[in-house]
Amino acid sequence: MLKKIKSSIPGEQSTYVIDKQLTTKVIEVAKKHLVSNILHTDQIPEKKLANVTNIYKVAGQSILALYDTTVFNSGKDGIIICKHLVGWKRMLEDAKTINFEELVLSSIDTKRYELTSGDRKLTLGSKEFASFFQSLKNHCVEDETLRKMYEEHITTSLLQLEEQIKGGHYQEATRELILMENRIVSSHSEYLASLYNHGCVLNMMIQQFDRAYQYYEMLHALQIWNDTKLNELKQELDKKKALYEFELLEEKKERTLAENLFEDAITIVESQKELHVVPKAELDREIDRINKMKDSYILTLERNISEALQDENYTSVLTTIEHLKKLTDKSYDEDYVKAKTGLYKFDEAYIRIQIIKNTKEELANNLLKIVEKSKETATLAIRNAVEKKDYTFYQEHEQLRSAKVSWGMTPLMHFIVNRDEKGVQLLADTHNPADRNLLGHNVYHLIAMVDDSFVGVAYSILDPTFIHLQNQRKKKERLNKVGGVLLKGVDTINNKALLNLEVAKASGEISENMKHSLDQIDMEIVEYATKKFENEYAEYFQSLLKPVYDNEKLAGYLQEKQILSRKVHQLEEKIATLSDSFDEHWNMFLTKTKLTTSRMTPVTKSLTNPKTPKTVFLKVSLVAV
């Protein structure tokens, strides 16, 4: 039994002193849990006793045990067990004490190593200390006097917790719930059952259902409540959770409808059915409502397509069609072809027409006429702009800059055929090496069919490797100029002196090296351009003999072929002329490039080699470039 005594600490209220029986249990707990350092339970060294009485302000005769955790065995850090209190101190921290009455009413968090008593939150500091205090509390609660205090406190606290939940003070209730989990000892299952029930209800109210189910499972595991009472709680929990999930889905459905994602909204309603919160018939009516909204929205988009076609807003048409694909199985092929035609994307329009032809031949034929007419108009406009050198045309008709018109020719290809350097420069950004006309010719093939220095000009605008080599040459030329100025200064100083032959010799060698370096890059440019020209020229003829498009597809462009037949004939005559006059063009090349014979020796040897094919060679002028 405990006896109420006057505290030995001045100004402190009366407290309780443990009897001999509880003293024995307390010592046993200390021996079991405090094993890492020195534990004194009988004779405490005088020096340690003096230190402890000074630190904790207690009478020496009241000390039952001392746990010394100091390195030098001074007793200043550790735990003391007295007849009326327990104290502890860790290195560099203040001493703390708690009497046995406070201990049984405290909350001990064995994970965070904290002890909460009233408004005081005290740090225990280690697993060893936390385990000791938790075990000590469990034994103290078994004492009749302390148990009575404990039970009255727990009963009052549970009632307060219930009132907090009913009053909607969920934040305060959550804090109290956590404290009480660490306040109720594990052997008192009836209190734990009440606490877990409150925890389940509280978390239901704040819609933390995972946590609520955890409390329910802990309550079920105690096996105190009967099945009927447990089932009622479980049914309430399931009902609350279902209603909560239904409301979340309702909010999600409204957001989905706002984004016109009707099928997704219907899927959400189907999920709501599985929760059994609202009658199935009511949700079926909601699905019907969503379908009507969907039909109405589709009609609105279809009207938008018609208006956009009238306003020639073809990009909007295509965007709307893509959106409609998510809502309906309709193809909108006719609108698609008209929009692509309006954007001068003739190849894509032809592909869709070919698909339509399999099921709607009449519609395909009508659309083909629309595309052919638009293509003819665009072709004539592009040719007219190219022939008149109307460069502003492409500023006013931005969509035509990269359009592939008759025979798959782009405006850039037309400028190349017409040897228009400014036009090529204007549309250089539209260059796509993958672009080919109906005969399989790309931009470089067409460049190979023009004569004189335009080849080099075109390469310098369009070919990345050629441009890189040019930039290297310009860089070397600039460095050589700087070097020449420096060498000239050295020679001037040398001439004013006594003509140092070594300096003059070195200066001459540097000058020769700079000239040789420039000659090398010149030769590299010529060799690259020559090889590229020969390859492109050979591929051009190969494409004429075997077009990349099959006869069936080529037949679809007979109208364009008739329009261009005259120019094709002229090109064929030009090809024949160029093939028969290789020597003449070669001499022209040498004259216009102004290169010395020594520079061209490697290329000449290649050309005079019997194994080298006699194709038309590149006519490029480095001076012009």
Side-chain angles (χ1 to χ4, degrees):
M1 292 289 293
L2 296 183
K3 297 178 182 179
K4 194 168 186 178
I5 65 167
K6 186 70 176 178
S7 172
S8 61
I9 303 175
E12 193 174 274
Q13 295 181 351
S14 299
T15 184
Y16 291 87
V17 176
I18 58 176
D19 61 10
K20 186 176 181 181
Q21 184 179 358
L22 186 54
T23 299
T24 302
K25 291 183 178 180
V26 169
I27 298 300
E28 288 176 356
V29 171
K31 290 180 177 179
K32 181 178 179 180
H33 291 277
L34 304 177
V35 295
S36 298
N37 292 281
I38 300 172
L39 175 64
H40 300 283
T41 57
D42 296 320
Q43 295 295 326
I44 302 175
E46 291 295 331
K47 184 176 180 181
K48 290 186 180 184
L49 191 61
N51 288 335
V52 167
T53 55
N54 181 55
I55 292 172
Y56 295 99
K57 309 300 182 187
V58 294
Q61 63 272 18
S62 69
I63 300 174
L64 304 176
L66 169 63
Y67 185 53
D68 184 1
T69 61
T70 61
V71 177
F72 298 106
N73 300 324
S74 65
K76 292 182 179 180
D77 294 331
I79 295 175
I80 65 163
I81 303 172
C82 298
K83 294 180 179 180
H84 62 292
L85 61 77
V86 181
W88 71 99
K89 182 181 180 302
R90 299 190 65 83
M91 184 182 298
L92 304 178
E93 294 181 4
D94 294 333
K96 306 175 185 68
T97 61
I98 185 169
N99 61 46
F100 291 100
E101 180 183 5
E102 292 174 322
L103 178 62
V104 297
L105 305 183
S106 67
S107 297
I108 301 175
D109 189 335
T110 55
K111 293 180 180 179
R112 295 187 177 183
Y113 312 146
E114 289 179 347
L115 185 151
T116 303
S117 175
D119 296 332
R120 292 197 301 163
K121 181 171 285 189
L122 307 173
T123 302
L124 297 174
S126 71
K127 182 179 180 180
E128 182 186 33
F129 278 29
S131 177
F132 165 72
F133 276 93
Q134 181 64 62
S135 183
L136 181 60
K137 174 182 173 177
N138 292 344
H139 281 80
C140 289
V141 169
E142 299 306 315
D143 178 84
E144 182 180 348
T145 304
L146 292 176
R147 182 173 67 250
K148 185 177 180 181
M149 297 177 189
Y150 163 80
E151 289 175 346
E152 289 176 353
H153 180 68
I154 294 300
T155 302
T156 302
S157 297
L158 287 171
L159 289 173
Q160 289 177 346
L161 177 60
E162 185 176 2
E163 290 300 319
Q164 287 174 336
I165 295 172
K166 288 180 178 179
H169 305 295
Y170 301 130
Q171 192 170 0
E172 294 89 336
T174 300
R175 287 197 295 266
E176 183 62 23
L177 178 68
I178 295 172
L179 287 172
M180 290 199 67
E181 284 180 347
N182 296 320
R183 189 178 299 153
I184 299 175
V185 298
S186 58
S187 59
H188 291 189
S189 55
E190 68 279 4
Y191 292 131
L192 287 175
S194 179
L195 181 67
Y196 293 160
N197 175 55
H198 291 325
C200 183
V201 174
L202 172 61
N203 281 280
M204 267 196 282
M205 302 305 293
I206 62 177
Q207 298 175 335
Q208 297 291 330
F209 292 99
D210 289 344
R211 188 66 177 147
Y213 277 105
Q214 288 177 4
Y215 277 110
Y216 171 79
E217 292 299 332
M218 288 190 293
L219 175 59
H220 186 275
L222 290 175
Q223 297 183 343
I224 293 179
W225 282 20
N226 60 49
D227 291 342
T228 302
K229 197 173 180 181
L230 282 171
N231 288 337
E232 288 176 355
L233 179 62
K234 179 68 160 48
Q235 289 173 4
E236 181 67 16
L237 179 54
D238 291 342
K239 182 180 177 180
K240 291 277 188 184
K241 182 183 180 186
L243 180 60
Y244 172 71
E245 291 179 348
F246 185 92
E247 291 173 349
L248 286 180
L249 288 172
E250 189 69 15
E251 293 175 2
K252 184 178 180 181
K253 182 194 71 178
E254 293 303 322
R255 291 195 302 270
T256 304
L257 287 174
E259 297 174 4
N260 300 310
L261 301 174
F262 303 101
E263 292 301 324
D264 292 346
I266 290 173
T267 301
I268 291 172
V269 176
E270 293 292 346
S271 298
Q272 287 179 314
K273 286 182 180 181
E274 298 174 3
L275 297 173
H276 306 290
V277 173
V278 173
K280 181 177 178 296
E282 183 177 335
L283 295 176
D284 286 336
R285 288 193 294 272
E286 176 64 6
I287 290 175
D288 291 338
R289 185 183 76 88
I290 294 172
N291 280 322
K292 290 177 182 178
M293 291 176 63
K294 175 184 174 182
D295 293 340
S296 176
Y297 183 63
I298 289 173
L299 289 174
T300 300
L301 292 180
E302 290 175 344
R303 285 195 296 269
N304 291 344
I305 287 177
S306 299
E307 293 173 2
L309 285 173
Q310 291 177 0
D311 297 337
E312 298 184 355
N313 189 357
Y314 303 114
T315 302
S316 176
V317 172
L318 295 174
T319 302
T320 305
I321 289 174
E322 285 300 313
H323 190 41
L324 280 166
K325 284 182 180 179
K326 302 174 183 178
L327 301 172
T328 177
D329 294 333
K330 294 182 182 179
S331 62
Y332 301 97
D333 289 328
E334 183 175 355
D335 299 319
Y336 176 87
V337 170
K338 289 179 179 179
K340 286 295 183 180
T341 302
L343 294 171
Y344 308 108
K345 304 292 184 181
F346 300 114
D347 285 352
E348 295 175 47
Y350 281 131
I351 292 171
R352 182 59 65 89
I353 289 173
Q354 197 65 32
I355 296 172
I356 298 171
K357 194 173 182 179
N358 296 330
T359 54
K360 302 175 183 177
E361 187 172 357
E362 184 178 354
L363 175 61
N365 292 334
N366 291 335
L367 291 174
L368 184 61
K369 291 177 183 178
I370 294 173
V371 177
E372 298 291 355
K373 183 177 180 180
S374 177
K375 191 172 185 181
E376 181 180 351
T377 301
T379 301
L380 292 174
I382 287 173
R383 287 178 186 161
N384 185 55
V386 170
E387 290 172 1
K388 292 183 177 181
K389 299 184 181 296
D390 182 8
Y391 306 119
T392 59
F393 173 82
Y394 294 100
Q395 297 173 353
E396 298 169 359
H397 302 84
E398 182 73 21
Q399 293 172 337
L400 280 173
R401 285 169 55 85
S402 57
K404 296 183 74 173
V405 289
S406 294
W407 284 88
M409 294 284 286
T410 64
L412 178 61
M413 291 178 178
H414 280 289
F415 275 127
I416 288 171
V417 171
N418 283 269
R419 300 174 58 252
D420 189 331
E421 178 182 345
K422 188 174 180 180
V424 173
Q425 189 73 55
L426 176 68
L427 299 183
D429 61 316
T430 68
H431 175 220
N432 181 358
D435 280 343
R436 291 177 180 266
N437 61 22
L438 290 182
L439 294 176
H441 297 152
N442 61 23
V443 163
Y444 296 121
H445 296 148
L446 297 177
I447 291 174
M449 289 315 302
V450 299
D451 55 11
D452 64 51
S453 61
F454 181 76
V455 175
V457 171
Y459 281 176
S460 69
I461 296 173
L462 300 174
D463 184 71
T465 303
F466 194 85
I467 294 170
H468 174 69
L469 291 171
Q470 276 187 304
N471 291 336
Q472 281 190 320
R473 186 187 189 284
K474 290 176 182 177
K475 185 177 180 180
K476 284 181 178 292
E477 195 172 24
R478 286 195 299 269
L479 291 174
N480 285 4
K481 286 181 179 179
V482 173
V485 171
L486 293 175
L487 288 175
K488 186 175 181 181
V490 171
D491 290 341
T492 301
I493 295 171
N494 193 38
N495 289 335
K496 289 181 180 180
L498 298 175
L499 189 59
N500 189 324
L501 295 178
E502 291 297 327
V503 173
K505 181 180 179 182
S507 180
E509 288 177 354
I510 294 173
S511 178
E512 185 62 29
N513 288 338
M514 289 192 300
K515 182 176 180 299
H516 180 66
S517 175
L518 197 59
D519 289 344
Q520 280 185 322
I521 193 67
D522 284 341
M523 198 64 202
E524 190 176 347
I525 292 174
V526 172
E527 288 177 355
Y528 171 78
T530 301
K531 185 175 181 180
K532 182 175 181 62
F533 179 85
E534 286 181 320
N535 291 339
E536 303 295 349
Y537 188 85
E539 288 181 12
Y540 175 87
F541 277 101
Q542 187 177 6
S543 298
L544 288 178
L545 296 173
K546 187 179 180 181
V548 295
Y549 286 79
D550 56 34
N551 292 331
E552 182 179 351
K553 184 170 286 188
L554 195 60
Y557 300 94
L558 289 176
Q559 185 176 356
E560 287 87 343
K561 183 177 180 180
Q562 292 172 358
I563 295 173
L564 294 174
S565 60
R566 183 181 302 175
K567 285 199 172 185
V568 171
H569 180 68
Q570 292 173 350
L571 285 173
E572 289 174 345
E573 290 181 345
K574 191 172 184 179
I575 291 168
T577 301
L578 290 172
S579 299
D580 294 336
S581 58
F582 172 77
D583 291 335
E584 179 182 347
H585 285 81
W586 173 243
N587 291 331
M588 184 187 299
F589 168 74
L590 289 177
T591 301
K592 289 189 176 183
T593 55
K594 299 181 181 179
L595 296 175
T596 64
T597 304
S598 61
R599 289 187 185 181
M600 296 307 298
T601 299
V603 179
T604 305
K605 287 182 179 179
S606 175
L607 291 172
T608 55
N609 190 325
K611 296 182 180 180
T612 303
K614 297 299 181 180
T615 59
V616 178
F617 197 72
L618 169 67
K619 283 71 67 179
V620 57
S621 170
L622 292 175
V623 176
V625 172

